[in-house]
Amino acid sequence: MLRTILIAGAVMAGAVSMPATAQVNLDMNQITCGDWLGYDQTSREFVGYWMSGYYSATRNDNVLDFRRLKQNAEKVAAYCKKHKSEPLPKAINRLKT
C-alpha cells in the first residue's frame, strides 16, 4: 500500500513539475480553399464545424443543423476546387445561405 502511495506521489510530483504546453494561435483567415481541400476528412470536418459555429454565433443562432452544414460544406468544396488560392472564410461568405 505504501509503495502504491509513493509511486502515485512521484507521478503527481513529476506532472506538476512539467512545463505547460504553449498556447497555439490559429488564424482561420490564413486557411485557403486549397489548404482545406488538402486536409484529411476529420480535419476538414473540424474546420467546417468550427466555421459553422462561428457564423452561427454571429447570427445569434445556437442550433447546429447538420443537414444544412453538410449542404453548405458541399457547396464550399465545389467552389474551392475552382478557387484554391482564395481564403476559406471569403469563400464561405460568398456562398452563405
Side-chain angles (χ1 to χ4, degrees):
M1 179 71 174
L2 180 62
R3 181 176 176 206
T4 304
I5 293 172
L6 289 174
I7 291 172
V11 168
M12 291 175 68
V16 170
S17 67
M18 295 176 81
T21 58
Q23 181 177 352
V24 175
N25 293 322
L26 177 60
D27 185 353
M28 297 302 267
N29 290 311
Q30 299 300 315
I31 298 174
T32 66
C33 280
D35 293 336
W36 182 68
L37 290 172
Y39 293 166
D40 62 78
Q41 186 64 30
T42 302
S43 297
R44 281 178 67 175
E45 288 175 357
F46 172 79
V47 171
Y49 292 140
W50 192 95
M51 298 297 275
S52 175
Y54 174 81
Y55 287 111
S56 291
T58 63
R59 295 186 315 269
N60 271 347
D61 182 6
N62 61 356
V63 177
L64 179 59
D65 181 348
F66 285 105
R67 183 181 49 79
R68 183 173 172 220
L69 174 64
K70 184 178 177 184
Q71 289 171 344
N72 287 337
E74 289 169 359
K75 289 179 191 175
V76 171
Y79 180 87
C80 281
K81 287 178 183 175
K82 297 176 184 173
H83 303 91
K84 291 186 179 183
S85 63
E86 188 164 333
L88 184 60
K90 188 175 180 181
I92 292 169
N93 282 322
R94 289 184 189 277
L95 301 168
K96 271 200 291 190
T97 58

